[in-house]
Amino acid sequence: MSTRQRNAPAYRPHVGELVLDRRTGRTGIYMDTIGGEHYLRPEPGGREWTADPHQVAPAPGAGDSAEYDLPRQFRRNAGKRQHSDHRNSPG
């Protein structure tokens, strides 16, 4: 890594954003930053891996994808749970 790369601010993705780990060439969903490392999860699910924040960039072509909008998915899933709770409640 060059001095310029180390001194440049690291990319700060949003939780649920699809990003590229330039070190490995893999894309993954950004989960969190802990201890100075970004935690990424494979798109189809699976084991997280850590990435150097200076090696993480937006995934090509993922800029307008709502597929990985986790807050939206959480709201949608919460609505499904509430709906199913009402349907299955006694009364």
Side-chain angles (χ1 to χ4, degrees):
M1 181 182 309
S2 72
T3 304
R4 179 182 290 158
Q5 286 175 316
R6 270 187 260 127
N7 293 333
Y11 178 65
R12 298 189 67 167
H14 299 284
V15 172
E17 182 179 344
L18 184 64
V19 295
L20 171 67
D21 179 354
R22 292 185 301 226
R23 183 182 61 83
T24 64
R26 297 169 63 189
T27 58
I29 299 179
Y30 172 75
M31 304 304 289
D32 201 355
T33 299
I34 301 172
E37 294 185 304
H38 286 345
Y39 280 75
L40 310 178
R41 182 173 300 280
E43 294 174 70
R47 179 177 243 165
E48 288 181 331
W49 78 94
T50 58
D52 179 334
H54 291 281
Q55 294 296 317
V56 172
D64 57 355
S65 174
E67 182 178 354
Y68 300 103
D69 182 358
L70 292 182
R72 182 179 296 165
Q73 288 180 338
F74 290 147
R75 288 191 303 271
R76 184 175 27 234
N77 291 342
K80 288 178 184 176
R81 283 192 301 273
Q82 288 175 349
H83 181 70
S84 66
D85 289 345
H86 291 295
R87 197 175 42 209
N88 294 330
S89 63

